[in-house]
Amino acid sequence: MNTLDKTYSPSSMEDNWYKFWEENRLFAPQEGGERPSFSIVIPPPNVTGSLHMGHALNATLQDILCRWKRMQGYRVLWVPGTDHAGIATQNVVERALAKDKIDRHSIGREAFIERVWQWKAEYGNRIIFQLKKLGASCDWEHLRFTMDEGLSRAVREVFVRLFKEGLIYRDNRLINWCPRCHTALSDLEAEHESLDGKLYYIKYPFEDGTGYVIVATTRPETMLGDTAVAVHPEDDRYAGQIGKLIALPLTNRKIPIIADSSVDMEFGTGAVKITPAHDFNDELTGRRHNLPSLSVINEEGKMTHEAGERYRGLDRYECRKLVLKDLREKDLIETEKRYVHNVGHCYRCKTIIEPLQTIQWYVKVESLADGAIKAVQDRTISFVPEQWENNYFAWMRDIRDWCISRQIWWGHQIPAWYCPDCKTEDGILHGDLIEHIFFNPLRVKSKTISSGTYLQLIKAGLTHEEIIKNSKLIRIPKAVKPLCEREDISVCALCGSERLIRDPDVLDTWFSSALWPFSTLGWPEQTEDLKNFYPTSVLVTAFDIIFFWVARMIMMGLKFMDAPPFRHVYIHAIIRDSKGQKMSKSMGNVIDPLVMIDKYGADAFRFSLAVFAAQGRDIRFSEERLEGYRHFINKFWNAAKFISTYSGYYRSSKLEDIKSLPNRWIVTRLSAVTEEVNRGLESYRFNDAANGIYHFVWHEFCDWYIEMVKPELYTGTDSEKTETVNCLYFIFEKILLLMHPFMPFVTEELWHKFCKKDKSIMLSSYPTSLMRYMNAESEMSNIINAVNGIRSIRGELNIQPSAEIFVAIKTLSDEATKTITSNLSSIKKMARCSDIMVGKDLTRIKGSAITVREQMEIYIPLEGLLDVKSEIARLGKEMDKINNEIGIVGKKLSNEDFLNNAPSEVVEKEKRKYEDYRHRKDKLLENLALLQSIGS
RNA sequence: GGGCGGAUAGCUCAGUUGGGAGAGCACAGCCCUUACAAGGCUGGGGUCACAGGUUCAAGCCCUGUUCCGCCUACCA
């Protein structure tokens, strides 16, 4: 037996044990036997990421489940990996390049992507190492990355199949555009935040000079793209004006006043300007009325030529200022009011989103969503906690087509090609429609060219390669039909042309994430992993990506695997700081998990997270509590140290022939807590499981059991000692096993120090319910009552802990007498008594303090030391409590309806309680009377 | 606008078939009692947001109200 340090110090041993597990390949799925499978795919953190509290909680919970299941004999696979995180990663690398004054367009697409891979090789696995510090038992041999070759093949396969089925299509409509990231975003990626803005009331004069209408807008610059003014058809104010023309200020255009019932008469002036090219609502109105659509803002967030020469090229906000100035000069602004409204922001860079009319790729989700809804309805997939299903349903039932194309470079490039030499249905050559915009204007034959259609550029003397290489933007109208293939193509299948133009867009990162549960297992190959581990058992994640990720995995899993990607979705809370604020770098309130691990050890950190796990949707992280759980481990560590000093009496970890009350009791309690822990884990109630362990280890095993067996260990016979030491070891070993999923490091450490096992605790069986000894708990309650009674008097009368006192216990039953008598030395030790007299026929000793507990009266003679006044006060307090209880219970028992309707066991319980309180009250009254009459 | 969640001890929060209000921390008092002062023992502290209802019985179920948080949405 190695000796243990006085205090538990995690840092020295954690890394060693992790290495031990890895070297022995203990994280790989166990083969052999008829093992059922248990699998989890990790929510892949971004390669750009470093471990934050959310990851730590997420990974800890998954690790607890995996370690627990592994010990239960399952063949466990926990698939780790990272996500290429298109926009985020591209932004990071672009910023890094910017430091060297490099722009991605100057080095070109291929070179840029090469740089990203370099960056990934250098920094992309940081989070993996951090997960290891946490103790995560992922099978690292299964490590995946969403841009791996295999996963890319899965992406291609899915894309092409959906395209060929007509479930992926291109369309020209308004989308959320980030002018900073230069890409389209899905609806989900637009974060709405309320902003303080202004509502401008602008006069729109009639063309015939007979007056004006006033429209209200928060975005005056968009007026340059107005193509109508709408009013409600039943709005009397505008009754005669529908159909009239307006001379749109600052432009030379005439636009009509139209009637549309979507207009809210109450808002503003009841007249609304319609800008179909820059507002989602207006786009719909425009379609209903066949209005033209004028794009006045471009992909850079700058004004186009459609905005007019005066505004062309201005940034949208510069333009807003100028438009306002111009309007003011013409006295066309009626008024302006402060106005708070919701504005979409890019979820990556927080730039205000501009709705733009562009061609994008979409997934038609309706049919996919139907299946995904059914799977949750019929409980093929269930959410824990169940309440999240409501959110899921609400979103899925109202789901809109998913915009999957992004105008960035880092990601899965869309496998679509366009042939400039084929013709549209209307007989137009594609090459006349495809428009290229260059990054740098090119000089060709003394002419400067910055844009043009493909064929124009060819005619100007550029080669195909030059055009492709220099294109910053390629606009490919809807009429140009793409060719989509699993493998890259270089020849047009229709006309044989060899100058194909590949779609420059990449897929939304979430597209590949949606395939994660089966792409990581080898799909589209039919692999053993797929057979063994799909569907996965449970997905553990936070609620903020239910729509982004969970819903889409369900849709894709059902579509391509004909089976759900997972059975359960466990949704955990999001960690905030101690004030409830979201942790963010800019707020400076980020708590770094690695710092916590450093300070308190991974085990204490993990255990805290498990205890926090059940709290609603927010967890306020508190370092104080973490400190408390480190104390817990130290407490347990010291118990181990204590036990180790008796190793000499250890014979066997098999329990046989247990006789003594403490041993019977602790085994019984261990059984109960084992069930509690298993039940808790079964139902994802990590806090119940962790709290069960905490309470048992500290307050039952340490506080009562160890204290109670001490006298025997100090002075007992060898056979007594052996029984108890065996039992101590037995319980201790079970506690190690129970705690292992929560605290893998310290349990492994102690396992090797104590259990003399050469194999890892990871390979041992998780405890299941054991034997319980009848009566052990009720017998023990006599001991606890006696000790607590004595301690209570001591504490309240301020008797020095060092003073050993004499105590008399008058029992009410032979059983109580027997139990107390046979455990006298333990009681004496725990309550610090020199001697205890026990019996049913004892009488009160003069000058005693008294307390009355269940089954006993306890007297402590104080020979003149007793302060009568304070003793009377103390008994008065005790009496108040009892009277209070008697009042409550008595009321129930005098209620006929209660007696008639409540279950008999409830009534019985109340009756017993009542009798006990009555008896205690009588005894207290007697003693009070005595004290008051004779003064002692 | 729609939806969801929360309101329990000074603080952070548990509390699942409705049947004696709990934990951790903090606080007060006493103690270095041979595993542990990162400890032990004792104690104080609650109209379970408010108002109704159902029930023999409500922190828990139902209705309404207030306050806080979140998600979602095309109100210019």
Side-chain angles (χ1 to χ4, degrees), chain A residues 326-344:
Chain A
D326 292 348
L327 289 172
R328 279 195 193 101
E329 278 169 10
K330 294 185 190 322
D331 194 27
L332 289 173
I333 295 196
E334 168 78 12
T335 181
E336 51 192 79
K337 294 179 180 165
R338 287 194 58 190
Y339 184 64
V340 177
H341 60 138
N342 285 327
V343 179

Side-chain angles (χ1 to χ4, degrees), chain A residues 152-171:
Chain A
S152 300
R153 201 158 44 239
V155 166
R156 277 266 186 123
E157 180 69 25
V158 166
F159 185 92
V160 172
R161 269 167 70 177
L162 289 176
F163 177 76
K164 299 214 157 150
E165 280 182 51
L167 291 177
I168 282 186
Y169 63 93
R170 298 175 79 223
D171 196 20

Side-chain angles (χ1 to χ4, degrees), chain A residues 116-132:
Chain A
V116 182
W117 279 106
Q118 278 168 18
W119 184 92
K120 191 244 170 194
E122 198 167 340
Y123 304 107
N125 278 338
R126 181 171 46 164
I127 197 155
I128 300 300
F129 291 115
Q130 294 172 328
L131 281 170
K132 292 182 180 185

Side-chain angles (χ1 to χ4, degrees), chain A residues 790 804-809 824 827-829 832-838 859-861:
Chain A
I790 299 166
E804 300 224 327
I805 53 173
F806 172 74
V807 174
I809 301 175
L824 262 193
I827 298 174
K828 283 201 271 191
K829 167 92 174 56
R832 303 194 66 73
C833 305
S834 56
D835 206 359
I836 299 178
M837 207 197 297
V838 191
Y859 299 97
I860 300 182

